[in-house]
Amino acid sequence: MSILIYAESAEGKFRKVAFELASYAKKVAESLGTTVTAVTINTTDVSELSKYGVDKVLKVTNDKLAGFSAKAYADVIKQAAQKEGAKLILLSSTTDSIYLSPLVAVSLEAGFASNVVGLPVSTSPFHVRRNAFSSKAFNITEILTDVKILGLAKNSYGIFENASALTTEDFNPPIGENDFGIKVESVEKVSGKVSIADADIVVSGGRGLKGPENWGILENLAEVLGAATACSKPVSDLDWRPHSEHVGQTGKPVAANLYIAIGISGAIQHIAGINASKVKVVINSDPEAPFFKVADYGIIGDAFDIVPRLTEKLKAF
Ligand code: FAD
């Protein structure tokens, strides 16, 4: 069973999820006694994948694919899978890959399991563990088709170095005009330096911060930690912060290693989107705030007192 991964990039550079996916694929390949091939689209330097155990890269360079087009990208992945005779195709759980995976699955008549966590529980029958109910539970799913597609949950496996002798092949699959039914014309830039999708640490603020003029304390903390900034829904609805920072059930999902919630009450719709984060720290002046029930660490107190002090302490490290 050969393995193909789609190693995602943005503006020509690999996204962090590509390295996590490669690390995961290598481990699965070892257990199956096979190799890992990656397909890349308009990535400038693909050699980085050799650090994470990828054996071969199918490098696609095509100006028509400069903007994300789900149908066209899915067609490229499908053709790469067919070329390699791949039986197991792995994608991440980014916004782009969540679009792509079902399209690839339909075109290859493959079974698709999203939100997979951990290595396959068994390979014959093929069982995987998946996050369910906003990461509050797991289920075990069996994929019955010959070709199988997995969407790896973000930040669920980790990045592990495992050097390989990488070979690169230019790959130029034909793409029809019908593949471009939808075209992304522009991309909204995330305001912070680190994007929420790639962040190990996310510092998030709620209505408890009282107004946009007070976000400096949160941004200072995020800068010291190299974190992305995020916010609750009302904060972006009030235009205190851009909509790209809204996290939760109706916003972006967050699966960070550390999620720091400042002045956020912990409504169920917020928790649903951030529950997959590994360590949750809550700073709230109300000891009865629901967020404390799901927090790993909690600080009861005024954010305007605690956050600047915390930032100063962290600067000292
Ligand atoms: P508040 O509920 O007003 O809480 C502010 C918190 O700040 C309080 O706990 C308070 O104790 C604390 N605080 C006040 N002053 C201080 C201080 N000085 N220092 C420290 N703490 C302080 N919400 C989301 O976030 N994401 C979603 O995706 C989302 N989707 C939704 C979907 C639907 C269909 C619905 C109905 C709602 C959704 N919501 C979502 C809204 C959600 O229900 C809550 O209303 C929202 O999360 C509350 O935001 P908040 O915690 O910032 O504000």
Side-chain angles (χ1 to χ4, degrees):
M1 185 193 272
S2 58
I3 298 179
L4 178 80
I5 67 169
Y6 167 49
E8 256 185 67
S9 54
E11 293 173 7
K13 290 195 176 135
F14 283 119
R15 303 188 66 182
K16 210 181 84 187
V17 286
F19 304 137
E20 180 171 37
L21 197 62
S23 307
Y24 178 82
K26 181 65 179 176
K27 197 71 188 169
V28 178
E30 280 171 357
S31 70
L32 295 171
T34 188
T35 54
V36 179
T37 298
V39 57
T40 63
I41 299 177
N42 290 336
T43 312
T44 318
D45 177 13
V46 298
S47 64
E48 273 183 291
L49 288 179
S50 67
K51 276 196 235 158
Y52 307 101
V54 173
D55 300 287
K56 179 178 171 185
V57 171
L58 296 177
K59 185 176 179 191
V60 178
T61 310
N62 187 336
D63 287 345
K64 279 185 175 171
L65 300 169
F68 178 72
S69 165
K71 233 176 140 199
Y73 276 44
D75 199 11
V76 167
I77 297 167
K78 173 192 139 186
Q79 293 187 58
Q82 286 173 331
K83 175 177 158 52
E84 294 299 300
K87 298 289 183 195
L88 186 57
I89 303 163
L90 307 178
L91 291 97
S92 307
S93 294
T94 58
T95 313
D96 286 358
S97 284
I98 286 171
Y99 258 116
L100 289 173
S101 304
L103 293 175
V104 180
V106 168
S107 65
L108 291 171
E109 295 188 359
F112 164 50
S114 60
N115 259 325
V116 169
V117 284
L119 297 167
V121 179
S122 67
T123 51
S124 184
F126 198 89
H127 282 166
V128 286
R129 182 189 287 265
R130 304 167 63 201
N131 273 337
F133 301 114
S134 305
S135 307
K136 288 202 188 85
F138 297 111
N139 70 45
I140 302 289
T141 298
E142 180 174 358
I143 305 183
L144 301 161
T145 48
D146 184 34
V147 177
K148 299 165 178 56
I149 301 186
L150 307 184
L152 182 68
K154 260 190 289 178
N155 255 338
S156 63
Y157 186 72
I159 296 174
F160 302 97
E161 294 207 0
N162 195 338
S164 60
L166 184 75
T167 60
T168 304
E169 187 181 318
D170 287 327
F171 179 52
N172 292 304
I175 307 160
E177 288 307 316
N178 287 346
D179 279 333
F180 294 94
I182 293 175
K183 193 172 160 209
V184 177
E185 288 287 350
S186 67
V187 176
E188 189 186 346
K189 291 272 183 195
V190 178
S191 63
K193 286 181 189 153
V194 186
S195 79
I196 292 172
D198 287 336
D200 273 331
I201 306 176
V202 173
V203 178
S204 190
R207 216 155 28 182
L209 285 178
K210 318 287 188 224
E213 68 281 6
N214 295 325
W215 239 260
I217 55 167
L218 191 143
E219 282 174 339
N220 289 344
L221 177 60
E223 194 176 332
V224 171
L225 291 170
T229 50
C231 67
S232 66
K233 182 173 184 297
V235 164
S236 66
D237 288 347
L238 287 162
D239 266 344
W240 293 0
R241 299 296 290 180
H243 280 284
S244 56
E245 290 198 2
H246 159 199
V247 297
Q249 186 186 324
T250 48
K252 284 199 177 125
V254 177
N257 286 326
L258 175 61
Y259 183 77
I260 304 178
I262 303 167
I264 302 178
S265 56
I268 186 141
Q269 297 90 354
H270 187 88
I271 303 295
I274 62 93
N275 221 12
S277 296
K278 291 197 177 115
V279 177
K280 301 170 205 75
V281 176
V282 172
I283 301 170
N284 198 303
S285 52
D286 176 7
E288 300 297 323
F291 220 139
F292 285 119
K293 292 202 179 102
V294 296
D296 297 282
Y297 300 94
I299 302 172
I300 300 167
D302 184 351
F304 298 100
D305 169 36
I306 289 162
V307 175
R309 284 204 282 145
L310 184 60
T311 306
E312 284 312 308
K313 284 275 176 205
L314 287 166
K315 270 188 197 162
F317 280 103

